[in-house]
Amino acid sequence: MRATIRLAATGVTLAMLLLGAARASHAADSLNPPADAKAFQKFFTDKFPKVKLEDFVNGPYSMDEGLYKQWKEKEEFPPYEFALDAGRDLFAKPFKNGKSFADCFPNKGIGIRQNYPYFDEKRGKVITLEVAINECLESNGEKPFSYTKDDMASVTAYMAFTSRGKPFDIKIPNDPRALAAYENGKKYFYTRRGQLNFSCATCHVQSPGDHIRAEVLAPALGILNAMPIYRSEWGGMGTISRRFTSCNSQVRAVPLKPQDDEYRDLEYYLSYVSNGLPISGPGARP
Amino acid sequence: MRNSVIRISVFCAMSVLLASGAISAWAASTEADYKAAYSAAETANNEAGKLRNQWTTTVSALKDAKKAAEGGDFDKAVALSKHAEALAKASIFQSTEQKDAWKAMEIK
């Protein structure tokens, strides 16, 4: 009788251990950013075999031959040019204390867009380029920019322009908080929200190249490489913050505040899975 | 004569019924009803906010309910508050359901 009880207990313990091991293995499987990035890029190159990997940064223009021709013509007099000029001036203009943006960034802020966002291990947070710009302003006694457009779009446009062609090089340090931020961003990307019950992936993974009314949906791969963008729909420039908040509104979800943790983590995830693709911003979209 | 009496009686009975219906409809919603309905909707929407998933349509319905109440239309205000509560509860359900369901969408 005792032997039977022992045997049963051993069986239960073994089953529990196996279950635990399976869970741990599942957790390890789900936290593998390099494998995620590889699968992510493969998904899009398999779905659009005619589009070169580096062309995904051109969004809807890479999906449609007619649009691609229009875009090439538009690039001769690009609509983001005014913002680019304004950004160049703002970037060079000294603050009241005599310092400038160049004093806040590595390599004086030139050709560094591809390294943002990064995970700051001191603060345990994702730092996007937009956050770094406002921190630079505030630490020098200046007023921060609005996160969504105007001056922020101009300065990020200039910084992206100086980084054109450089491949995204987002790093995840060996810090469980960085991995958690990455995972949180991934969760946000795939989670359905709003009355329309859409996730980011509903449009940008399931339906890139398809139309929503007259718009061609962009692929998620390389979607941030072109930021900030001039959107004809907006009639002006917009930052990554503007893109995220307006996407939320479009699916009837109340947007979070620009640069809330979820948005920073989402940018971290989306940039990481586009590692290797060149910065193409500032961009123009319909 | 008998038919006329019957007709008048039926007419009177219907009029009384219609009038009482109208009165009861007019008296259906009070300010207190609105306040209770609005409070329930607001509580549900706050819960959705804690889950970081409020819907724009819930916010609009709450605003419209308040506007209707300010205009003295408590029937409309109660109906809109109940609509807002239903939307907020749907957003809570969505968040709960998506807690793990998002994984099914993931590219692997």
Side-chain angles (χ1 to χ4, degrees):
Chain A
M1 178 67 182
R2 272 188 187 168
T4 313
I5 291 169
R6 263 185 218 142
L7 195 65
T10 311
V12 169
T13 311
L14 192 65
M16 285 174 80
L17 281 170
L18 281 172
L19 193 67
R23 275 189 187 156
S25 139
H26 173 75
D29 283 350
S30 63
L31 297 176
N32 190 345
D36 283 356
K38 199 175 169 190
F40 200 84
Q41 297 189 9
K42 185 179 183 304
F43 173 86
F44 285 98
T45 48
D46 285 354
K47 193 174 171 87
F48 300 101
K50 288 181 185 169
V51 179
K52 288 182 197 161
L53 182 64
E54 63 270 23
D55 278 348
F56 279 96
V57 301
N58 299 320
Y61 302 119
S62 61
M63 314 271 100
D64 183 289
E65 207 176 319
L67 274 177
Y68 189 85
K69 280 182 187 167
Q70 284 178 29
W71 170 62
K72 281 285 175 194
E73 284 175 15
K74 218 193 273 183
E75 279 294 294
E76 288 176 27
F77 300 99
Y80 52 74
E81 207 162 21
F82 293 111
L84 189 54
D85 289 343
R88 188 180 287 115
D89 292 346
L90 280 166
F91 194 86
K93 191 181 168 188
F95 302 139
K96 285 183 211 97
N97 64 5
K99 290 188 176 178
S100 70
F101 282 113
D103 295 303
C104 297
F105 292 96
N107 200 38
K108 298 192 182 300
I110 303 301
I112 57 160
R113 161 71 184 101
Q114 71 282 359
N115 302 321
Y116 287 82
Y118 69 93
F119 189 81
D120 183 339
E121 291 183 82
K122 279 184 194 161
R123 288 185 276 180
K125 267 185 176 289
V126 170
I127 306 296
T128 64
L129 186 60
E130 293 169 22
V131 165
I133 286 170
N134 269 353
E135 286 183 347
C136 178
L137 286 166
E138 288 181 295
S139 66
N140 284 290
E142 300 285 324
K143 275 188 183 171
F145 295 154
S146 151
Y147 274 120
T148 52
K149 49 188 179 176
D150 303 328
D151 290 347
M152 182 62 82
S154 297
V155 172
T156 52
Y158 174 66
M159 292 180 81
F161 187 75
T162 66
S163 315
R164 272 191 174 178
K166 297 197 173 193
F168 246 142
D169 188 19
I170 307 303
K171 293 187 171 68
I172 300 176
N174 188 19
D175 181 329
R177 295 170 304 169
L179 214 52
Y182 168 87
E183 189 69 1
N184 192 39
K186 179 163 73 174
K187 182 182 177 189
Y188 195 89
F189 180 74
Y190 288 109
T191 297
R192 292 177 181 274
R193 60 179 52 80
Q195 194 188 18
L196 298 189
N197 201 33
F198 273 34
S199 70
C200 308
T202 309
C203 287
H204 302 290
V205 170
Q206 291 183 329
S207 318
D210 291 343
H211 285 78
I212 283 190
R213 294 188 178 164
E215 273 187 55
V216 178
L217 292 166
L221 179 62
I223 201 166
L224 298 184
N225 299 52
M227 300 303 288
I229 51 170
Y230 180 96
R231 280 202 85 180
S232 307
E233 186 194 334
W234 294 337
M237 294 290 293
T239 60
I240 291 174
S241 289
R242 187 172 187 182
R243 180 68 275 192
F244 288 166
T245 51
S246 63
C247 271
N248 279 170
S249 300
Q250 282 171 327
V251 301
R252 299 185 187 166
V254 174
L256 306 174
K257 284 182 193 149
Q259 298 299 332
D260 267 359
D261 283 348
E262 289 91 336
Y263 287 150
R264 292 191 197 197
D265 295 348
L266 173 63
E267 189 177 334
Y268 194 41
Y269 167 73
L270 267 179
S271 304
Y272 181 85
V273 292
S274 293
N275 262 351
L277 273 76
I279 296 297
S280 63
R285 296 288 181 267
Chain B
M1 176 67 186
R2 200 174 163 208
N3 280 350
S4 300
V5 172
I6 291 170
R7 266 188 216 138
I8 289 166
S9 304
V10 169
F11 176 78
C12 288
M14 284 181 73
S15 301
V16 169
L17 280 169
L18 282 170
S20 64
I23 289 163
S24 68
W26 172 74
S29 299
T30 62
E31 188 172 2
D33 294 334
Y34 154 70
K35 281 183 176 170
Y38 188 89
S39 169
E42 208 172 31
T43 302
N45 194 39
N46 288 341
E47 182 66 29
K50 283 179 196 160
L51 296 166
R52 313 282 276 164
N53 187 30
Q54 287 176 326
W55 291 358
T56 53
T57 38
T58 310
V59 176
S60 302
L62 281 168
K63 270 186 198 163
D64 291 346
K66 206 170 196 179
K67 206 173 168 187
E70 280 163 6
D73 189 347
F74 293 114
D75 276 346
K76 193 177 175 186
V78 167
L80 284 164
S81 298
K82 286 183 176 171
H83 181 56
E85 188 187 3
L87 290 170
K89 283 185 171 171
S91 65
I92 293 166
F93 174 81
Q94 183 187 50
S95 286
T96 313
E97 187 264 343
Q98 283 292 299
K99 203 174 170 188
D100 290 313
W102 68 270
K103 289 174 188 162
M105 294 272 283
E106 189 186 346
I107 296 173
K108 284 181 179 166

